[in-house]
Amino acid sequence: MSGVQAGWSLPPSFPGSEGGKRAVMSDPRGSGGGREPGTSVLLHVLFEHAAGYALFAVKEVEEIGMLLPQVEESVLNLGKFSTVVKLAAFSPFKSAQAALENINAISEGVVHADLKLLLETSLPAAGKKKKVVLGVADAKIGAALQEELGLSCQAGGVVAEILRGVRLHFHALVKGLTAQSASKAQLGLGHSYSRAKVKFNVNKADNMIIQSIALLDQLDKDINTFAMRVREWYGYHFPELIKIVTDNSTYCRLARLIGNRKELSEESLEALEEVVMDSAKAQAILEASRSSMGMDISPIDLINIESFSNRVISLAEYRKGLQEYLRSKMSQVAPNLAALIGDVVGARLISHAGSLTNLAKYPASTVQILGAEKALFRALKTRGNTPKYGLIFHSTFIGRAAAKNKGRISRYLANKCTIASRIDCFSEVPTSVFGDKLRDQVEERLSFYETGDAPRKNLDVMKEAVKEVRGSWRPF
């Protein structure tokens, strides 16, 4: 990086070294070294702390270069270190909010106004026989300072060792600052910085969608496993019921309602009809109970079966509520993607990408095979045919397309999903107008493959969508 000084060397007179005499200027680049003879170097070190910015002047060192073990030893000793480093200026932060703004600027390599003011007022001006060098911890902020203020900056080398010593003895070098108050400032700023990072993009609560779809998939597996256990358990007593009723949730409700099949009578027919929603099925269950081949069951076994059936039923009901919650979240976070491809498939795409922002960054070719990575790499390894679709296969569009058009419609659908996700990610006002229009385009493309009717151009469709959005939006 231009402007970042290199080739510094430390004389043996640095405190802790064997010499002990005054520092003598040495130039590793040879005689002259690119600067005029007699020019002195003033090294200042910038240290960013949670309490504020501190500028330290390095005494008795004109040029610093190769790292010596004596430097490290002197850094650990406050007495020796304080003879070399002296506080030149300290600018405390006015508030916790100001500290947070400054640390965000530093982390992004931006020169904050507070830092600029400190350096302009406290850093000595360079002259013909005096060269001012500023040591910084990060080369990124050093480049920004050089570009904005025209300073000559140095990062790494012995500057890093000096900053290590400053960090170690900071509370002793700054008057009025105790180790306890410095620790509190660091803890408070650390919490604020972490909280701000976690709350980044707070309006796009795609983390809730990721957790919801993961829980939904887990519930599907668990409910299916538990329902099969109920079928097997209650099947010893009433095996004919399995063939009559195939739905897991309905079967669990019937197992809880019937209990002992020998107690089933004509009076129970109405209750059976309410569960199965079919009078013929209810009558078949009643007749099967009278001629069942199942074994007798004890009351304690029935109690356990009914209790387990209640759990399965409650899980199934919770799953319905969770699906409604997912639908509402998708309508808030990614309404266009949900309108185009559906809530569940859209949520799976977001979950697989990691976030809506990541999905918006993906090209359409990646979205097309998202979820089929194993098949893709296997095809590349064996030089076989690559997969045509991944998670978007669960969309109704691909199922409705003819076999020869599945690859074409999946490519087209992935393209529209990419557009929808980018609109959802970067639009300020959530609306599903674009998603509805994109869905109509996919429908037209399906019709084009079947009948040959030419679909509308994307430009015309998007102009209509923009017109609808502007027409529906009213300023407050």
Side-chain angles (χ1 to χ4, degrees):
M1 182 184 300
S2 61
V4 178
Q5 302 297 317
W8 297 84
S9 64
L10 189 76
S13 61
F14 192 91
S17 64
E18 297 176 0
K21 297 182 180 179
R22 182 174 178 83
V24 180
M25 183 167 52
S26 63
D27 197 329
R29 293 169 294 187
S31 177
R35 86 178 148 74
E36 298 177 5
T39 303
S40 62
V41 176
L42 298 178
L43 176 64
H44 287 72
V45 174
L46 175 67
F47 181 68
E48 307 94 1
H49 192 268
Y53 292 117
L55 189 66
F56 291 90
V58 182
K59 299 183 294 181
E60 296 192 3
V61 178
E62 293 181 284
E63 287 200 12
I64 301 177
M66 296 180 62
L67 190 64
L68 301 177
Q70 291 84 356
V71 181
E72 299 178 7
E73 294 175 8
S74 64
V75 161
L76 299 176
N77 190 319
L78 177 60
K80 293 178 180 179
F81 187 71
S82 58
T83 61
V84 179
V85 174
K86 181 182 177 181
L87 181 66
F90 179 63
S91 174
F93 296 130
K94 297 177 182 179
S95 63
Q97 184 62 34
L100 182 60
E101 289 175 4
N102 277 273
I103 194 175
N104 283 329
I106 289 292
S107 64
E108 293 169 7
V110 178
V111 180
H112 195 270
D114 295 346
L115 177 59
K116 185 177 180 181
L117 179 64
L118 172 69
L119 294 175
E120 287 177 344
T121 55
S122 303
L123 204 62
K128 290 184 177 179
K129 295 188 177 182
K130 186 172 65 174
K131 183 178 181 182
V132 179
V133 177
L134 181 65
V136 292
D138 185 17
K140 189 176 179 182
I141 193 69
L145 286 169
Q146 182 197 357
E147 183 179 350
E148 190 161 338
L149 301 178
L151 298 174
S152 179
C153 297
Q154 176 194 350
V158 176
V159 169
E161 286 299 320
I162 293 174
L163 285 172
R164 186 167 68 93
V166 170
R167 191 178 299 110
L168 185 63
H169 308 297
F170 184 72
H171 60 278
L173 295 171
V174 179
K175 291 182 180 180
L177 184 68
T178 62
Q180 186 178 5
S181 59
S183 178
K184 283 184 178 179
Q186 287 175 332
L187 185 64
L189 182 58
H191 284 177
S192 300
Y193 183 74
S194 301
R195 196 179 301 116
K197 287 296 181 184
V198 170
K199 289 171 69 176
F200 175 73
N201 207 8
V202 67
N203 296 322
K204 306 291 185 184
D206 49 4
N207 282 334
M208 303 302 163
I209 292 174
I210 294 171
Q211 297 299 326
S212 298
I213 192 65
L215 181 56
L216 200 66
D217 291 339
Q218 188 65 46
L219 279 175
D220 286 337
K221 294 177 183 177
D222 292 345
I223 290 170
N224 186 51
T225 304
F226 294 157
M228 293 303 296
R229 182 62 58 200
V230 172
R231 283 173 176 270
E232 187 177 348
W233 201 353
Y234 192 66
Y236 291 125
H237 177 61
F238 194 0
E240 290 80 9
L241 185 63
I242 297 174
K243 295 181 179 179
I244 299 171
V245 179
T246 56
D247 182 65
N248 288 335
S249 179
T250 307
Y251 186 92
C252 292
R253 292 176 187 276
L254 286 172
R256 182 180 63 177
L257 174 65
I258 297 170
N260 193 338
R261 59 177 169 76
K262 292 183 178 179
E263 297 175 3
L264 207 59
S265 61
E266 293 287 344
E267 298 174 356
S268 308
L269 198 60
E270 186 177 348
L272 289 173
E273 286 182 12
E274 289 180 4
V275 175
V276 297
M277 305 296 291
D278 189 347
S279 57
K281 275 190 178 181
Q283 188 64 40
I285 292 169
L286 183 62
E287 292 174 359
S289 66
R290 292 170 180 169
S291 58
S292 177
M293 297 172 60
M295 59 181 281
D296 293 335
I297 195 166
S298 63
I300 187 67
D301 294 333
L302 278 176
I303 290 171
N304 279 283
I305 292 172
E306 287 175 9
S307 176
F308 191 50
S309 298
N310 285 328
R311 292 296 180 93
V312 178
I313 293 165
S314 65
L315 279 176
E317 289 173 354
Y318 173 68
R319 188 201 175 282
K320 290 180 181 177
L322 184 65
Q323 194 157 12
E324 287 298 321
Y325 168 76
L326 179 64
R327 184 175 291 111
S328 67
K329 275 292 177 185
M330 284 294 291
S331 64
Q332 295 171 13
V333 177
N336 293 295
L337 188 63
L340 171 63
I341 205 170
D343 304 306
V344 176
V345 181
R348 285 203 173 98
L349 286 173
I350 293 173
S351 176
H352 200 84
S355 67
L356 181 62
T357 306
N358 288 349
L359 183 64
K361 292 176 182 177
Y362 285 161
S365 57
T366 302
V367 175
Q368 181 182 350
I369 59 170
L370 206 63
E373 288 83 2
K374 286 185 179 179
L376 173 65
F377 291 122
R378 186 172 59 246
L380 293 174
K381 187 177 180 180
T382 60
R383 297 185 179 181
N385 294 328
T386 55
K388 297 177 181 177
Y389 28 67
L391 290 169
I392 61 172
F393 175 76
H394 299 287
S395 170
T396 56
F397 295 114
I398 296 177
R400 287 161 49 195
K404 63 179 181 179
N405 295 325
K406 285 186 185 294
R408 299 167 70 187
I409 198 65
S410 67
R411 186 166 58 251
Y412 189 81
L413 180 60
N415 185 17
K416 299 304 174 187
C417 285
T418 305
I419 295 173
S421 63
R422 288 171 184 172
I423 293 172
D424 288 330
C425 183
F426 300 111
S427 63
E428 295 179 358
V429 181
T431 175
S432 62
V433 173
F434 292 98
D436 294 332
K437 294 292 183 182
L438 292 171
R439 187 180 181 88
D440 292 342
Q441 279 190 287
V442 181
E443 293 282 1
E444 290 176 7
R445 184 54 62 107
L446 270 176
S447 176
F448 168 70
Y449 290 150
E450 294 173 1
T451 62
D453 297 335
R456 292 176 295 171
K457 291 184 178 180
N458 186 62
L459 181 63
D460 298 335
V461 176
M462 289 296 104
K463 282 182 179 178
E464 287 181 16
V466 171
K467 189 176 180 180
E468 281 188 30
V469 169
R470 288 177 177 173
S472 61
W473 182 78
R474 292 289 183 271
F476 292 102

